[in-house]
Amino acid sequence: MIKLKDILKEAKQVGIIYHYTTFESGLKVLKSNQLKSDHTAESTNAKPVFGISFTRDKRFNTANRAVDFTNSSFGKTPQLRFTIDGNRLSNKFKVQPYSQGGRFDKGKKDFESEERVTSNKLFTITLSNYLISIDLLFEYKKPEDGDWNAEFDYEEYAPLRAEIIQFAKDKNLPINLIVNKNGDPWPDKVKDSLIQKILNWFKRK
């Protein structure tokens, strides 16, 4: 007979965790509503290991981290994160801490507070079942000073960002348009200045 204490023990109290990715990959995840597993670093033909990585670090994107190593060994800059209910996720999946060791060990500068869901077979996680919010990490504005790199980024990523916002709006998904340096959704932390409060008061008149 399964006891309640055994169920509570199995469902680890994970708390809030984050899955970081790019605009392009994030949009694919949103449209499919699936986080898809991939080979992990320790996977071999004899002993395949597939996984989906998360982190407890809400400031992961501020430490020169990289994600999405599909087309480049250098990876790409995180542009978006999915904030996930780790407690709910742990009710169905086994969520475990993971470290690559070395400079990624706890206490080291590059410690990533990583949590993983792994399996010896490919698997998916239905995003909407565990999603707390979509958080956009970058805002691309049209440059005015002839900065070609900024111009490229604007033309490449601004349309993707806009499409993600529109998709979230159409599907009634919670989305934060920017986060601050502490990793918190910016609108939740901003307090209007006295001048802004006065302007807002006149707008309501």
Side-chain angles (χ1 to χ4, degrees), residues 56-132:
R56 294 179 178 277
D57 187 358
K58 66 180 180 179
R59 300 179 69 246
F60 178 90
N61 60 297
T62 66
N64 296 318
R65 309 290 192 188
V67 296
D68 193 355
F69 295 87
T70 305
N71 298 316
S72 170
S73 59
F74 296 102
K76 298 178 180 178
T77 300
Q79 298 170 310
L80 174 153
R81 76 181 182 196
F82 296 114
T83 298
I84 301 295
D85 185 336
N87 290 346
R88 180 176 292 181
L89 183 68
S90 71
N91 288 332
K92 186 169 183 181
F93 297 92
K94 191 171 184 178
V95 183
Q96 295 180 303
Y98 173 77
S99 172
Q100 298 178 43
R103 64 190 179 93
F104 296 101
D105 276 340
K106 190 172 183 179
K108 299 292 182 63
K109 180 181 178 181
D110 292 324
F111 180 60
E112 296 180 337
S113 300
E114 186 173 358
E115 301 275 344
R116 298 194 313 179
V117 175
T118 59
S119 173
N120 61 357
K121 296 180 181 179
L122 286 168
F123 66 95
T124 61
I125 293 175
T126 302
L127 179 68
S128 58
N129 290 347
Y130 313 102
L131 181 68
I132 294 175

Side-chain angles (χ1 to χ4, degrees), residues 186-194 196-197:
W186 184 251
D188 295 340
K189 298 299 178 181
V190 171
K191 293 183 179 179
D192 290 337
S193 65
L194 177 60
Q196 188 60 54
K197 289 179 179 178

Side-chain angles (χ1 to χ4, degrees), residues 117-174:
V117 175
T118 59
S119 173
N120 61 357
K121 296 180 181 179
L122 286 168
F123 66 95
T124 61
I125 293 175
T126 302
L127 179 68
S128 58
N129 290 347
Y130 313 102
L131 181 68
I132 294 175
S133 67
I134 306 160
D135 303 324
L136 305 183
L137 307 176
F138 279 95
E139 182 179 13
Y140 294 91
K141 297 181 179 180
K142 187 172 179 61
E144 299 177 355
D145 57 0
D147 185 331
W148 294 107
N149 288 328
E151 183 71 29
F152 173 84
D153 287 347
Y154 174 77
E155 293 181 357
E156 182 81 7
Y157 302 123
L160 285 171
R161 186 178 186 276
E163 188 173 353
I164 290 168
I165 294 171
Q166 188 60 51
F167 184 91
K169 181 179 179 181
D170 293 343
K171 299 294 183 179
N172 198 29
L173 298 174

